[in-house]
Amino acid sequence: KAGVTQTPRYLIKTRGQQVTLSCSPISGHRSVSWYQQTPGQGLQFLFEYFSETQRNKGNFPGRFSGRQFSNSRSEMNVSTLELGDSALYLCASSLGVNDEQYFGPGTRLTVT
Amino acid sequence: AQSVSQHNHHVILSEAASLELGCNYSYGGTVNLFWYVQYPGQHLQLLLKYFSGDPLVKGIKGFEAEFIKSKFSFNLRKPSVQWSDTAEYFCAVNLGSSNTGKLIFGQGTTLQVKP
């Protein structure tokens, strides 16, 4: 079974721009969560989707948003990028909400 | 706010030494507990998990962890480490009663195993 895939793997953007990251979960998984990983803050929860509904959101500004499609694929969007948004963005999928999560390789976003 | 604390930030061991990484969480309710590993250049992989039942759980690659509810702890152990265990290890907690998949991660422990 293929694992979680994320595209693109690397991205360089300029301050003020916006970016969209994509995540394809493991086949059959309906829950998708997003995390931000930085050296200073570690792994922080962004949001969680199940059956196209956002079930939970972390403590991030409204510039961070996401959605999930009917095929369980998910996207997250960051608008008006700031230097501090430079991070590794990880997507994880699970069968159901409380099941173990399997992580993708991440998208490395660099904001200049 | 709920939090997860990993006591050791950087551990250096020689091959064949025993390993124990500490993890404590602050939440009084039902929890699901996980250990993830991130090998250099690779993505996060699930080592083991605890949902309920036997508090001693075994995972992949010879790792095990013990859930001690009274101590709010979920320490990771391995009797004899190998050079290939060099990686970053993350403890994570899900609040089982919250009906959400949100994971709260510890800051991670970098393990360096010397050959």
Side-chain angles (χ1 to χ4, degrees):
Chain A
K1 206 180 243 188
V4 177
T5 57
Q6 293 186 244
T7 56
R9 293 292 311 278
Y10 302 92
L11 209 46
I12 301 175
K13 289 286 187 179
T14 304
R15 248 183 331 177
Q17 288 185 314
Q18 75 164 18
V19 66
T20 299
L21 312 181
S22 181
C23 170
S24 293
I26 293 171
S27 177
H29 285 194
R30 296 173 62 192
S31 181
V32 172
S33 296
W34 288 88
Y35 297 84
Q36 182 196 65
Q37 185 176 22
T38 59
Q41 299 298 317
L43 280 150
Q44 293 189 288
F45 171 79
L46 277 158
F47 22 64
E48 170 196 9
Y49 290 89
F50 183 79
S51 293
E52 301 178 68
T53 301
Q54 186 180 89
R55 293 182 59 87
N56 202 350
K57 190 177 193 301
N59 190 23
F60 280 83
R63 300 184 296 107
F64 291 80
S65 63
R67 58 179 177 169
Q68 186 181 33
F69 302 95
S70 58
N71 62 358
S72 294
R73 192 176 68 84
S74 177
E75 286 181 349
M76 68 162 279
N77 184 278
V78 189
S79 62
T80 319
L81 284 165
E82 300 178 0
L83 295 177
D85 297 332
S86 294
L88 181 66
Y89 290 89
L90 296 171
C91 170
S93 76
S94 59
L95 270 173
V97 170
N98 287 119
D99 294 318
E100 62 266 30
Q101 295 179 24
Y102 295 88
F103 283 80
T107 294
R108 172 78 60 188
L109 172 64
T110 302
V111 182
T112 61
Chain B
Q2 296 84 17
S3 64
V4 178
S5 175
Q6 292 182 237
H7 317 299
N8 316 100
H9 295 294
H10 198 162
V11 173
I12 302 174
L13 295 173
S14 297
E15 273 194 316
S18 64
L19 169 72
E20 180 159 4
L21 301 182
C23 172
N24 285 89
Y25 62 92
S26 61
Y27 181 67
T30 304
V31 291
N32 299 322
L33 300 158
F34 307 86
W35 275 97
Y36 284 88
V37 61
Q38 193 169 32
Y39 297 104
Q42 296 187 28
H43 60 278
L44 274 169
Q45 298 174 39
L46 181 65
L47 262 183
L48 47 76
K49 61 189 179 188
Y50 172 81
F51 283 83
S52 64
D54 188 344
L56 184 62
V57 293
K58 295 189 184 300
I60 60 172
K61 305 187 181 187
F63 286 91
E64 65 178 31
E66 184 176 14
F67 171 47
I68 302 180
K69 190 174 181 179
S70 60
K71 294 185 178 180
F72 302 92
S73 70
F74 189 56
N75 292 354
L76 181 71
R77 300 195 292 247
K78 185 170 184 179
S80 175
V81 294
Q82 302 171 340
W83 176 79
S84 58
D85 293 325
T86 294
E88 191 159 14
Y89 292 80
F90 294 92
C91 178
V93 173
N94 167 258
L95 307 185
S97 58
S98 64
N99 200 28
T100 168
K102 173 184 175 181
L103 291 176
I104 304 167
F105 283 89
Q107 285 292 83
T109 297
T110 301
L111 171 65
Q112 183 182 353
V113 180
K114 294 184 172 180

